[in-house]
Amino acid sequence: MKIEGVKKEEFRVIVDLWERSVRATHYFLKEADIDFFKPLILNKYLDLVDLFCVKDSRGVINAFAGVYEDSLEMLFVDPSAMRKGIGRQLLDHAIEKWGIRKVEVNEDNSNALEFYKAMGFHVVGRSPLDGSGKPYPLLHMELTVK
């Protein structure tokens, strides 16, 4: 698997991957929430972060991540590629190359919470609403040592 940057013309592929990943992991979201976030991700959020992805030997994007300053803003893995170390590979890359030290995770996404804890992050705070003001609490996490 190879990590590389994401081109603007790959944004639709990235958003489709995001949706598959969210549907497999964010069981607490309503259909209206997915419909709300999808165009925002495509038309706004992807442009605000430094994006990189993992492609397989055929050039298919299996996962992507986005960073801003010292924060991991997004990390999504295609359901068909989950539990194969790709998320860990992307997170390690974000820590080593981009110097990320912070991440926010939905409180109801227990798998992501456990993943970040296993990777050395710990909870330092909580917000009752997500960044869009929706009632999905966020846990603020920081990297302990890496």
Side-chain angles (χ1 to χ4, degrees):
M1 300 270 177
K2 183 173 127 181
I3 295 178
E4 59 184 69
V6 174
K7 300 176 191 96
K8 184 109 174 152
E9 55 269 18
E10 295 174 311
F11 279 13
R12 288 209 181 271
V13 171
I14 291 290
V15 171
D16 289 344
L17 187 156
W18 168 85
E19 184 175 358
R20 288 191 303 278
S21 181
V22 163
R23 289 185 185 283
T25 59
H26 291 60
Y27 62 88
F28 50 90
L29 288 179
K30 298 176 181 80
E31 190 67 29
D33 295 317
I34 293 172
D35 292 342
F36 172 81
F37 286 116
K38 191 172 179 179
L40 285 174
I41 290 168
L42 178 63
N43 299 313
K44 183 177 180 183
Y45 298 157
L46 294 179
D47 283 322
L48 299 176
V49 296
D50 291 306
L51 285 169
F52 48 97
C53 66
V54 172
K55 292 183 178 179
D56 66 15
S57 60
R58 299 167 307 166
V60 175
I61 298 173
N62 285 319
F64 74 94
V67 299
Y68 179 76
E69 295 178 352
D70 66 345
S71 294
L72 181 69
E73 297 294 329
M74 52 185 76
L75 190 157
F76 292 93
V77 178
D78 190 273
S80 67
M82 287 180 179
R83 303 247 178 238
K84 296 181 181 175
I86 294 172
R88 177 179 296 271
Q89 185 181 0
L90 280 175
L91 185 56
D92 283 341
H93 179 79
I95 291 166
E96 292 166 19
K97 181 173 190 242
W98 298 92
I100 69 116
R101 295 288 176 259
K102 300 174 187 171
V103 66
E104 291 181 340
V105 63
N106 289 105
E107 185 174 64
D108 292 324
N109 189 345
S110 58
N111 288 336
L113 178 60
E114 292 308 312
F115 169 73
Y116 290 116
K117 283 181 178 178
M119 294 295 290
F121 287 80
H122 65 280
V123 176
V124 296
R126 181 184 184 273
S127 298
L129 305 175
D130 70 10
S132 299
K134 294 192 174 284
Y136 300 114
L138 293 176
L139 298 176
H140 311 285
M141 302 182 81
E142 290 184 6
L143 187 60
T144 307
V145 177
K146 197 77 168 165

